[in-house]
């Protein structure tokens, strides 16, 4: 639960009003415990049709 609150706080700090891939990737450190977790989540986003952005 704490990770979810941290993630929402990070998205809020970025001024995110929509859940877009770039913001999700930028804030993965708040919900992913390891680099492998971040890679898994980013890969899942890509697999669901969320194209990788040039900055992420």
């Amino acid at each position: 639960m704490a990770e979810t609150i941290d993630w929402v706080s990070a998205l809020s700090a970025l001024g995110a009003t929509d859940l877009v891939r770039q913001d999700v990737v930028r804030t993965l450190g708040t919900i992913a415990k390891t680099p492998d977790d971040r890679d898994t989540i980013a890969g899942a986003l890509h697999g669901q049709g969320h194209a990788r952005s040039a900055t992420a």
Side-chain angles (χ1 to χ4, degrees), residues 1-17 19 23 26-31:
M1 181 62 115
E3 289 87 357
T4 303
I5 294 169
D6 292 345
W7 185 47
V8 171
S9 295
L11 289 167
S12 179
L14 290 174
T17 57
L19 195 55
D23 291 338
R26 290 172 62 190
T27 58
L28 280 180
T30 62
I31 56 174

Side-chain angles (χ1 to χ4, degrees), residues 9-55:
S9 295
L11 289 167
S12 179
L14 290 174
T17 57
D18 293 314
L19 195 55
V20 296
R21 185 189 189 285
Q22 180 178 359
D23 291 338
V24 171
V25 171
R26 290 172 62 190
T27 58
L28 280 180
T30 62
I31 56 174
K33 300 213 183 269
T34 68
D36 286 340
D37 290 345
R38 286 191 300 271
D39 292 344
T40 299
I41 295 167
L45 287 170
H46 181 67
Q48 292 182 3
H50 299 280
R52 295 183 186 271
S53 67
T55 59

